[in-house]
Amino acid sequence: MIRSKLLGLLLLSLALAGAQALTPSHYLSLSDVARLQNLLNQPFDSLESAYYSVVGLTKLGAAVPDPAEVCQFLKSQLDPSSVDSLFFAAETSQAISGCEIPVSNETRDILLAAVSEDSSMSQIHRAVGALSSLGLPLASQEVVAALTARINKEDNVMAIISALQAASRLSQQAQLGGILEEIEDLTARLDDLGGVYLQFEEGLEATALFVAAAYGLSDHVDVQPPLKEDQVIQLVNSIFGKKSWDSLSEAFSVASAAAALSNNRFQVPVIVSAQGPATVSHSQPTLQLLVTDVMSQPLASASVLVESAYAVASKSAVLNQAPFTHNDGVFELNFMSSRPASGYYQFTINVGGDSRLVANQVELKVKVSTEVSVTNMDLSVVDKDQSIGTKTTRVQYPSKAKSSFTADSHQNFAMSFQLVDVNSGQELTPHQTFVRLHNQRTGQEVVFVAEPDSKKLYKFELDTAERKSEFDSMSGTYSLYLIVGDATLENPILWNVADVVLKFADEEAPAAAQPKTLYVPKPEIQHLFREPEKKPPTVVSNTFTALVLSPLLLLLILWLKLGANISNFSFSPSTILFHLGHAALLGLMYVYWTNLNMFQTLKYLAIIGGVTFLAGNRMLAQKAVKRIAAEQSSRLAKYRSLRMEKK
């Protein structure tokens, strides 16, 4: 029973530790924001690109260059009969001051006619956006009914995001609860990637637009979105983890999400980072933190508190409930006033001052660095049979011993020293303490590890008789170096302490390496290839070929019997070129099978495929234009007939 309780407490503590560890690992740094602005601040050649550029810059808080020229461009490119054109022009005009888009009764009728359940969700959203930006009245409840009907028909992520965007433009008195519930439905469709990222399979643009639309509608109706704190952090990581953007629309979506996460009524993620490395020392005693939103803008109203700080090695607490002071956008704490020893410290930091803050409990590892010095460096040569007294020589750091030391097979060379903190005088045990012996004649090096005893006194003793194999029995003068290093040391040490003459018994010079003859014939490698498998009988191959071709024969028979309908076939150049290219591709497949190799085929495929792709793209674009024009004409006629019936 007791064991099960302990196990439960352990699992609970691990869960709490994991929950605290989840903090935003990605955000828009100042350089990221500048690159995003540069991408958005491009010359535009269409109303759509002008919309992404101008509105995107506005969301980042950047100024729009030449607003008068932008306004003139909007008016010159406006198509009063196109819902998309009206939406892009109207939305862009709202982002610049003093730009008014002319509106006629026919334009208003076109926009109102598009607000119908027969229109696509994108058309409804853009019609509502244009009506709202142009200041034209619309029946909010009718829009809600159209949006609800389209959600049942277009149950996909982008359609529902468009519904959320359109609903945020409607009157607060409208019944928006049903559409607001779609936020929770979309949240359930997000893919969790390792507990760190949360995104739609449709990609970055859909994820970023969802965040912007969810907070936009929630702010509009003053209802907190159904997003948990961990989910918000995962969304932040997904949206801002990508540092290069593939298109203008993707950059616009990221800017929209950044603006929504930085300024909404309910949840504002906090980014806590050290200004520079998270390192303090006696020369730099102040720990400096930046507390910002996801666009690296300072949160001036925030307050920062160190709830606890403990040494990673000893787990001993050194600080509790210590506030940071705010100084010109930077939060500062004089950690060295607590007199911490050198090493690493784990900080638990809480950011308060605003109830909207998310991810405001942060774990931060801080390094306390110091300077090291070598003291009590004693060198001696010890006779093994104790027949000669030991003479010890003390060397002061960083000087070199004035005389050399000689040791043969009957003697040991001994070395002892201490490492102390220059600032506090305490003994240190750095992670890396080595003794290196370098042969001055041959350049050979032998490295040993120096180990401290219980009193933190480092000792090194070299038995020349036992260690001669490591030196290849190579007698001579060796330079003795002390190497001290650690991540917390500001002054790693490489000290030439002394020269040591080593004499090994039965000295054997290493044999010279025999040169190898490289340019000689190698023995022949005999390969044994697998024998080819026996081919199936010709009857089987012919039967299989006939079965494969039988659907084509059936298709031809049905066409002859029922009649092929080619009334919608267009004899435009792009259509004819596309079908000829498709036929050429099929012919190329046959020629590849009979005559060509892969590289020849790829060359012809690039030429024929490129022409076929361009022709097919042109053909589909022409068909789409005709279909959209027919749908708009049908809706406008239907709307006008309804108005006539009402009159």
Side-chain angles (χ1 to χ4, degrees), residues 118-157:
D118 295 330
S119 303
S120 65
M121 187 67 81
S122 175
Q123 286 287 293
I124 297 175
H125 159 235
R126 290 181 175 179
V128 171
L131 288 168
S132 176
S133 297
L134 294 172
L136 299 175
L138 72 162
S140 295
Q141 199 55 45
E142 292 181 7
V143 178
V144 172
L147 292 175
T148 305
R150 290 308 303 179
I151 288 175
N152 296 330
K153 297 178 182 179
E154 297 184 53
D155 190 18
N156 60 74
V157 171

Side-chain angles (χ1 to χ4, degrees), residues 283-337:
S283 59
Q284 180 59 45
T286 303
L287 175 63
Q288 297 181 324
L289 297 182
L290 297 176
V291 180
T292 66
D293 57 24
V294 295
M295 289 199 293
S296 298
Q297 296 301 310
L299 298 176
S301 61
S303 60
V304 183
L305 178 72
V306 179
E307 293 188 344
S308 64
Y310 64 88
V312 174
S314 64
K315 306 298 181 184
S316 58
V318 295
L319 207 61
N320 286 290
Q321 304 299 317
F324 279 75
T325 58
H326 187 235
N327 182 16
D328 194 22
V330 179
F331 291 88
E332 299 179 339
L333 174 69
N334 188 350
F335 183 48
M336 295 305 295
S337 63

Side-chain angles (χ1 to χ4, degrees), residues 372-375 377 395-399 482 491-495:
V372 65
S373 181
V374 185
T375 61
M377 172 61 76
V395 183
Q396 298 295 328
Y397 174 75
S399 301
L482 176 65
N491 61 329
I493 292 175
L494 175 61
W495 177 23

